[in-house]
Amino acid sequence: MGSDDEAARPRVGTNLASMLTLSEVGIDFDRANAARIYDYFLGGAHNFASDRAQAARIVAANPDMPRVCRVNRDYLGRVVRWCVEAGIDQFLDLGSGVPTVGNVHEIALRLAPGARIAYVDFEPVAVQHAREITEGLDGVSVTQADLRQPEEVLRAPTVAGLLDFTRPVAVLAIAVLHFIDDDVPAIFGRYREALSPGSVLAINHGSSDQDDPVLAEAVRNIERGYRGSATPVVLRDRRQIRDLLTGFELVPPGLVDPVHWPAADPEVEPIGAYAGIGRLP
């Protein structure tokens, strides 16, 4: 049997484990984090005992949570493909999380070999693993920064030196904004100011503002499951989520549940979120 300290250590690959120490990257082993919880639900190995314990509480509140994460991931893939087909080959992925199957760079570079992808996250495990798997890839960068500080993000050499903001850029904020208890419309207003016409903002935000009361309660149960973590959930209604895209023109079909973007799929149960793409005129 290992010690309690060993049990609390992350489930990580050998190379990453050798790089991570509390003193080097300031990881909090004791408080669960949304990026690592998400990794756990997607079957990843870059999470701690605290994340797995919090995940168990979330699943106890809403057993559908692993499917919710997979739906969010599938939506991200469809967004990236839509952007490339629309002629956008630059991506700023905010709150990118722990990289897993179906990464932005995997999809974008396969469809557009000259694509550029700038990943941004503040969680040390997510950042370190992203750097590990993208090392040596042209057109891909990883930045440790807080998306709530747009100036810091946009000034970072790994962003400003990679993306050409005189051309359209796709800003991705997928399944991350409901972890931010700030004036998000104001934050994204500052990102919008840096973008050229034709750029897009893609979002996906959980919400209990649902016509189906059972689905609404399921979303509230997820919110309850995240309480006590370092990244509690902040639910917003449909109007508030639409406000996140102020200044952008909604691309059809507008704000819909992720399973229904870009086309309705009556065979798949909704997850209780609003997703969509706004395009800068």
Side-chain angles (χ1 to χ4, degrees), residues 126-143:
V127 170
Q128 189 60 61
H129 184 47
R131 286 173 175 163
E132 187 177 285
I133 69 169
T134 61
E135 184 178 4
L137 287 179
D138 291 335
V140 183
S141 70
V142 182
T143 303

Side-chain angles (χ1 to χ4, degrees), residues 18-201:
S18 67
M19 299 178 190
L20 297 178
T21 68
L22 285 170
S23 59
E24 288 176 326
V25 292
I27 297 173
D28 185 349
F29 285 99
D30 299 321
R31 295 194 72 194
N33 173 275
R36 301 190 306 260
I37 294 171
Y38 193 69
D39 171 70
Y40 174 75
F41 280 133
L42 290 174
H46 295 78
N47 47 79
F48 304 170
S50 58
D51 305 310
R52 299 189 287 277
Q54 191 83 38
R57 290 191 286 273
I58 295 167
V59 169
N62 185 339
D64 199 36
M65 188 60 188
R67 184 183 75 91
V68 169
C69 293
R70 292 193 298 271
V71 166
N72 288 335
R73 195 71 185 177
D74 291 344
Y75 167 71
L76 171 64
R78 295 195 298 275
V79 165
V80 173
R81 287 189 287 273
W82 183 94
C83 289
V84 173
E85 290 169 2
I88 302 172
D89 62 358
Q90 300 189 103
F91 298 87
L92 177 59
D93 189 357
L94 300 174
S96 51
V98 178
T100 185
V101 175
N103 297 312
V104 173
H105 72 271
E106 290 177 339
I107 300 170
L109 291 174
R110 183 172 66 247
L111 299 175
R116 299 177 181 182
I117 301 93
Y119 291 114
V120 176
D121 207 297
F122 73 91
E123 207 290 316
V125 170
V127 170
Q128 189 60 61
H129 184 47
R131 286 173 175 163
E132 187 177 285
I133 69 169
T134 61
E135 184 178 4
L137 287 179
D138 291 335
V140 183
S141 70
V142 182
T143 303
Q144 185 167 359
D146 190 331
L147 70 84
R148 295 173 297 180
Q149 305 297 327
E151 290 78 13
E152 176 188 347
V153 170
L154 296 169
R155 283 198 309 264
T158 41
V159 174
L162 178 68
L163 302 181
D164 178 3
F165 284 92
T166 67
R167 298 196 300 113
V169 173
V171 179
L172 310 178
I174 309 300
V176 66
L177 300 181
H178 43 240
F179 295 111
I180 299 177
D181 189 10
D182 289 81
D183 187 350
V184 182
I187 291 171
F188 279 85
R190 299 204 290 279
Y191 283 109
R192 184 180 66 245
E193 292 170 358
L195 300 175
S196 62
S199 296
V200 301
L201 170 59

